[in-house]
Amino acid sequence: MKQRIQQVFLILVLAWLGISAHADEPEPMLLSATAQGKNMDQAVFALGQAIVKHKYSFVRQQAIDARLVPYAEEVRSVRLVYFCEFAKMDRVLRLDPRGAQLMPCRVTLVETPAGVDLIAVNPAWITQNIPTLHGECQELKRDYQAILDEASQ
Amino acid sequence: MRRWTLIFLLAWCAPSQAEPVAVNKTGDMLQALDDLALAAANQDLSLVKMQPIDTALAKRGYENPHIRILFLGSASAVRWAEVVEPRLLNLLPLRLTLIQREGRVTVMSDDFEPWLREFPEDPAHQMLLAWRAELKAMLDDFMRQ
């Protein structure tokens, strides 16, 4: 009996070490993709299509300095696109109201000579120390990456 | 054996919690928004957008979470980030989350800690500290109203 308990304990420890090693893998801060050869309007359009295709809703787009400077002086090379999925939003807020800092989803588009970089803050990086949200945010991270990849095709 | 089981369980439950800057006071959402608008103006911050998560969810049949998000910032913060560390543009405009519960409104910033850890060197670190201090000053002002 004692030997059996020791075996079970050993299995639990090994399982825990395996999970811990996986959990300790550092999350990247940013997720990104590059839409080579596209201009800002084309990249925003492609991103909008990818958002809808992945069953998210487009919320709005704006310049990085919108409402901080007169419209005519807004930066044209950096735009923000916001989107969301209401069922996910509801689920995350029920888990932990700190999930509001992930809402709505956002992609920053930066025009470069080569095309447009699409950048998002990795939700799994933000919630590394918020265990209640981390699992949900792993899924959200996969959605983000799929949307970025699709929009950059 | 029991001792090892306890150590195992404690290690399992040990992860630290991240905490953003937060304040709360008596009142309702609309009053809090008015007070925040005034506090923002006092700190030379402009309101960019108010995102009504509460009504957006409620009108689609979900439970009303009584949460709104306020986006605010300044042109100088954007220009500063463009020069110092463009990756920090992802934090702009700055955000505050308002949560109404039982006659009180809690206002909290996004958590700056992961960003401060990721950018340990100046001038990016200093810029993050300045933004957090700006929000804290604004929330202190909000509490005084």
Side-chain angles (χ1 to χ4, degrees):
Chain A
M1 179 65 183
K2 190 178 173 187
Q3 201 175 7
R4 177 80 182 141
I5 291 172
Q6 282 176 337
Q7 279 176 348
V8 169
F9 181 69
L10 185 64
I11 290 167
L12 280 172
V13 169
L14 289 174
W16 178 63
L17 287 174
I19 292 167
S20 297
H22 184 69
D24 287 346
E25 276 176 24
E27 284 286 348
M29 177 179 67
L30 300 175
L31 308 172
S32 64
T34 300
Q36 298 277 359
K38 283 186 178 157
N39 64 28
M40 183 60 86
D41 288 343
Q42 290 167 330
V44 168
F45 181 73
L47 180 58
Q49 286 189 315
I51 286 166
V52 172
K53 190 173 172 188
H54 285 84
K55 304 198 181 335
Y56 281 75
S57 302
F58 174 85
V59 174
R60 69 176 187 278
Q61 61 151 314
Q62 63 177 74
I64 182 76
D65 52 0
R67 302 201 181 177
L68 303 176
V69 297
Y71 177 76
E73 293 171 25
E74 285 179 359
V75 170
R76 303 287 169 208
S77 58
V78 184
R79 293 200 73 77
L80 316 180
V81 170
Y82 291 95
F83 56 101
C84 70
E85 208 273 90
F86 294 101
K88 276 196 174 79
M89 201 182 251
D90 173 62
R91 205 160 54 236
V92 164
L93 290 176
R94 283 171 192 270
L95 288 171
D96 191 323
R98 285 176 296 179
Q101 65 183 305
L102 306 162
M103 293 169 194
C105 298
R106 161 181 162 169
V107 172
T108 304
L109 298 95
V110 182
E111 199 165 39
T112 69
V116 177
D117 292 334
L118 295 94
I119 305 160
V121 177
N122 177 2
W125 175 75
I126 291 283
T127 56
Q128 278 182 114
N129 292 325
I130 309 179
T132 46
L133 294 175
H134 196 56
E136 194 74 32
C137 285
Q138 289 286 352
E139 190 185 314
L140 190 56
K141 171 188 161 186
R142 286 191 286 275
D143 286 354
Y144 259 114
Q145 195 60 65
I147 288 169
L148 294 180
D149 290 344
E150 176 125 3
S152 61
Q153 299 291 310
Chain B
M1 183 69 196
R2 202 176 295 166
R3 189 166 58 112
W4 282 108
T5 308
L6 184 63
I7 290 169
F8 172 75
L9 286 174
L10 285 173
W12 182 271
C13 301
S16 62
Q17 299 280 321
E19 289 302 336
V21 178
V23 296
N24 78 83
K25 70 175 183 180
T26 309
D28 62 17
M29 191 66 90
L30 293 180
Q31 184 61 52
L33 285 167
D34 280 350
D35 291 351
L36 284 168
L38 190 55
N42 290 341
Q43 295 296 318
D44 289 328
L45 290 167
S46 303
L47 299 186
V48 174
K49 173 82 181 166
M50 189 272 292
Q51 197 84 52
I53 303 284
D54 50 1
T55 54
L57 283 174
K59 79 177 181 190
R60 288 170 178 83
Y62 296 100
E63 187 181 312
N64 186 335
H66 301 286
I67 288 178
R68 292 188 177 194
I69 297 168
L70 202 58
F71 293 84
L72 64 166
S74 63
S76 60
V78 174
R79 306 291 168 252
W80 196 10
E82 282 175 333
V83 172
V84 166
E85 177 47 84
R87 284 179 294 173
L88 291 179
L89 287 171
N90 285 288
L91 259 177
L92 301 178
L94 298 170
R95 299 155 38 97
L96 291 171
T97 301
L98 289 77
I99 306 171
Q100 186 176 359
R101 295 277 188 280
E102 295 164 359
R104 297 189 73 82
V105 177
T106 300
V107 185
M108 63 181 184
S109 74
D110 286 354
D111 187 5
F112 279 74
E113 287 306 323
W115 296 93
L116 288 164
R117 278 197 302 274
E118 194 75 25
F119 296 95
E121 288 171 18
D122 290 341
H125 194 79
Q126 209 50 243
M127 186 168 71
L128 286 165
L129 290 174
W131 290 349
R132 188 169 68 174
E134 213 166 20
L135 285 178
K136 186 167 184 325
M138 181 187 155
L139 293 181
D140 288 345
D141 191 329
F142 165 74
M143 289 301 288
R144 283 192 294 272
Q145 291 172 40

